[in-house]
């Protein structure tokens, strides 16, 4: 393996934390050498909707943390267990809890530009497209080559979130090879149901709170700032769900015979959804944004995040953002209503000339710390009732269909709450110091992220602060076909976690 002769991170102005020892070379070498193991890890199916397929993944987690001297135990739940890996050095030391996600989103093979989303491929950017190349390209390569060629590994969960799992294991491997001891007690909680909203996590945290007792929680998940600078995220929006169903005729009817006569449920749904937002994208429901006030200190924190919004809009190809905040960071400080899918009738090759029988809309309501999720759902329900709809939590009976002109089924659920940690907290200051020491640059400090992670049960039950340490590239296509991780980020992620694990907490 060809050794690096320059510091790994080209945006570092001076030598990084490990540059004056052979550990710097080890970070790169071990990272590259571990890619074969990473590929094997990626090949293990991890869709939590198929519980019977998750056993190999759970065993993988047990075996790989035991390898580094952790005591690993199963925390049983009604469905898939959590795993808790612990290494207690001394009761007199602080204890850090790290959250890792092992499961991934479902896959649709037909939408991926490779044979099998669980069979990782190496790709290189060629003429603005990513083309599969042979894995031998990683032989005798340098970090500069990896960056210049934009080499990436494409597979389900490459970034979300098997990549971070491999990063921490590689950091532990470097520590073992160099006889570097932890500076604090370490516990690692492994979640196998995150992508199905961790339905058993909250109860498990309460049940096993004594085992999980710690002083702070770090979440090794999520993408870095688009600049790819070292990033810390001090909060996340929560998430809740609403399913709406509107009704037309009991079975689809011929649109020639009954168009203009049988009510079309798509127009009913359109009335409901379009009434919730104005033409500028702001929620029109009175009181929806109540309680959120951004003071001068907060606005300064938000303004310091180096977003390139012109590039963001160019990449996503839209002219103007919704007018909820003055900029992107402000916009995600508020709760949101998002229609994530609508289903009714048939389209494309299966299109039929019918009046559909029903229309289903799936909605997510993102939550912030200041907003009560139950209150928000009640506001939405009341708004629909004011439009003249008979609102129920089940399908209507025949009598109800004949009695009420406009009917909607409203079913809601709550996944997890928002959380937020003060940037000036002790854990915040420690992490900022650690990343600055490792990379020689001030990290991007985000007050909150737009996405949601199941962290509030730990914060609320254990009474500890939580911070996310994201490491993967922002353009990783998480939750979508062609998910990927930059090998550049894989390497620097190892360095990030090694810096944290070797810094006294």
């Amino acid at each position: 393996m060809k050794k690096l002769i320059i510091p790994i991170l080209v945006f570092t102005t001076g030598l990084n934390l490990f540059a004056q020892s052979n550990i710097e070379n080890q970070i790169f070498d071990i990272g590259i050498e571990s890619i074969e193991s990473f590929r094997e890890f990626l090949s293990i199916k991890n869709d939590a909707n198929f519980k019977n397929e998750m056993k190999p993944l759970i065993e993988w987690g047990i075996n790989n943390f035991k390898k580094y001297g952790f005591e690993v135990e199963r925390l049983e739940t009604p469905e898939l267990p959590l795993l808790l890996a612990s290494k207690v050095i001394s009761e007199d030391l602080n204890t850090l809890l790290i959250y890792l996600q092992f499961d991934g989103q479902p896959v649709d093979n037909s939408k991926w530009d490779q044979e099998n989303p669980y069979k990782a491929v190496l790709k290189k950017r060629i003429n603005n497209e990513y083309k599969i190349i042979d894995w031998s390209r990683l032989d005798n390569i340098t970090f500069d080559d990896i960056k210049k060629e934009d080499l990436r590994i494409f597979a389900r969960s490459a970034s979300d979130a098997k990549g971070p799992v491999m990063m921490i294991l590689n950091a532990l491997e470097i520590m073992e090879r160099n006889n570097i001891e932890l500076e604090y007690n370490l516990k690692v909680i492994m979640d196998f149901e995150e992508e199905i909203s961790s339905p058993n996590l909250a109860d498990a945290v309460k049940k096993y709170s004594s085992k999980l007792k710690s002083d702070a929680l770090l979440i090794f998940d999520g993408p870095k700032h688009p600049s790819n600078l070292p990033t810390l995220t001090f909060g996340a929006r929560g998430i809740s769900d609403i399913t709406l169903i509107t009704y037309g005729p009991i079975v689809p009817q011929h649109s020639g015979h009954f168009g203009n006569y049988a009510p079309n449920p798509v127009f009913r749904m359109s009335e409901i959804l379009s009434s919730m937002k104005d033409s500028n994208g702001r929620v029109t429901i009175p009181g929806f944004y109540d309680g959120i006030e951004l003071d001068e200190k907060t606005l300064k924190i938000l303004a310091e995040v180096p977003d390139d919004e012109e590039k963001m809009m160019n990449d996503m190809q839209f002219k103007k953002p919704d007018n909820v905040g003055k900029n992107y960071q402000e916009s995600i400080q508020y709760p949101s209503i998002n229609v994530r899918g609508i289903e009714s009738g048939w389209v494309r090759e299966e299109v039929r000339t019918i009046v559909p029988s029903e229309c289903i809309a799936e909605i997510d309501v993102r939550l912030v710390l200041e907003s009560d999720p139950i209150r928000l759902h009640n506001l939405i329900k009341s708004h629909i009732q004011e439009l003249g709809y008979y609102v129920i939590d089940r399908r209507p009976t025949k009598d109800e269909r004949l009695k009420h002109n406009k009917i909607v089924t409203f079913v809601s659920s709550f996944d997890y709450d928002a959380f937020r940690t003060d940037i000036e907290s002790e854990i915040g200051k420690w992490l900022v110091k650690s990343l600055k020491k490792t990379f020689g640059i001030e990290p991007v400090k985000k007050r909150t992220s737009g996405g949601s992670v199941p962290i509030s049960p730990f914060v609320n039950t254990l009474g500890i602060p939580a911070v996310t340490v994201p490491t993967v590239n922002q353009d990783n296509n998480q939750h979508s076909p062609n998910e990927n991780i930059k090998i550049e980020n894989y390497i620097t992620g190892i360095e990030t976690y090694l810096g944290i694990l070797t810094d006294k907490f």
Side-chain angles (χ1 to χ4, degrees), residues 90-124:
S90 168
E91 296 295 337
D92 296 328
L93 296 175
N94 286 332
T95 299
L96 190 66
L97 179 64
I98 290 174
Y99 172 89
L100 293 176
Q101 170 196 339
F102 272 64
D103 63 314
Q105 281 281 312
V107 298
D108 179 352
N109 287 26
S110 67
K111 299 291 193 298
W112 285 68
D113 299 330
Q114 62 197 72
E115 180 183 351
N116 181 350
Y118 291 111
K119 185 177 180 180
V121 296
L122 178 66
K123 291 189 179 185
K124 174 181 177 178

Side-chain angles (χ1 to χ4, degrees), residues 451-479:
S452 302
V453 286
I455 299 307
S456 57
F458 296 98
V459 174
N460 297 334
T461 301
L462 303 180
I464 56 175
V467 181
T468 299
V469 187
T471 50
V472 302
N473 45 295
Q474 193 269 342
D475 60 341
N476 66 70
N477 294 336
Q478 68 183 88
H479 291 201

Side-chain angles (χ1 to χ4, degrees), residues 225-243:
H225 185 264
S227 64
N228 223 20
L229 291 167
T231 305
L232 294 171
T233 305
F234 290 83
R237 292 198 287 188
I239 185 170
S240 59
D241 312 289
I242 297 174
T243 300

Side-chain angles (χ1 to χ4, degrees), residues 172-189:
L172 292 168
E173 174 70 20
I174 292 168
M175 291 174 69
E176 183 173 274
R177 291 191 189 186
N178 293 275
N179 297 313
I180 302 172
E181 298 293 334
L182 284 167
E183 295 283 353
Y184 46 80
N185 301 318
L186 182 61
K187 297 179 181 179
V188 179
I189 187 76

Side-chain angles (χ1 to χ4, degrees), residues 145-205:
D145 290 335
I146 285 170
K147 284 197 66 176
K148 185 166 62 176
E149 297 177 27
D150 193 6
L151 297 182
R152 303 185 182 208
I153 298 169
F154 283 72
R156 173 53 84 221
S157 297
S159 276
D160 187 24
K162 286 181 177 177
V165 174
M166 286 298 298
M167 293 172 199
I168 188 173
L169 290 172
N170 282 328
L172 292 168
E173 174 70 20
I174 292 168
M175 291 174 69
E176 183 173 274
R177 291 191 189 186
N178 293 275
N179 297 313
I180 302 172
E181 298 293 334
L182 284 167
E183 295 283 353
Y184 46 80
N185 301 318
L186 182 61
K187 297 179 181 179
V188 179
I189 187 76
M190 295 170 247
D191 187 355
F192 296 86
E193 297 181 310
E194 196 274 350
E195 296 294 2
I196 56 171
S197 300
S198 302
N200 302 294
L201 183 65
D203 288 341
V205 173

